[in-house]
Amino acid sequence: MLGDGRRVGVIGFPEFFNAGFTNLTDAGLELFDLEEDAHCFTSPLPRVRIISVDDFDPERFLA
């Protein structure tokens, strides 16, 4: 929990989050991805991000 015990979250595209947010997650800041967590889009967006080969699922992009 940050500050006075309130839950605090940031929603957006992780590739645009301020790098300092990562340091605040230990203090209770919650980070949410508009596409992956909130499911705000009906098809995958053409986003640029680095993912591990083990986590890549090509089926998701072949719909």
Side-chain angles (χ1 to χ4, degrees), residues 12-44:
F13 296 108
E15 56 268 32
F16 297 114
F17 287 164
N18 182 299
F21 289 171
T22 303
N23 298 332
L24 295 173
T25 57
D26 289 339
L29 181 67
E30 296 180 67
L31 302 175
F32 300 96
D33 182 318
L34 274 171
E35 184 177 11
E36 298 292 330
D37 298 320
H39 305 288
C40 290
F41 303 94
T42 57
S43 61

Side-chain angles (χ1 to χ4, degrees), residues 39-51:
H39 305 288
C40 290
F41 303 94
T42 57
S43 61
L45 298 177
R47 294 167 65 181
V48 176
R49 59 183 162 188
I50 299 170
I51 60 172

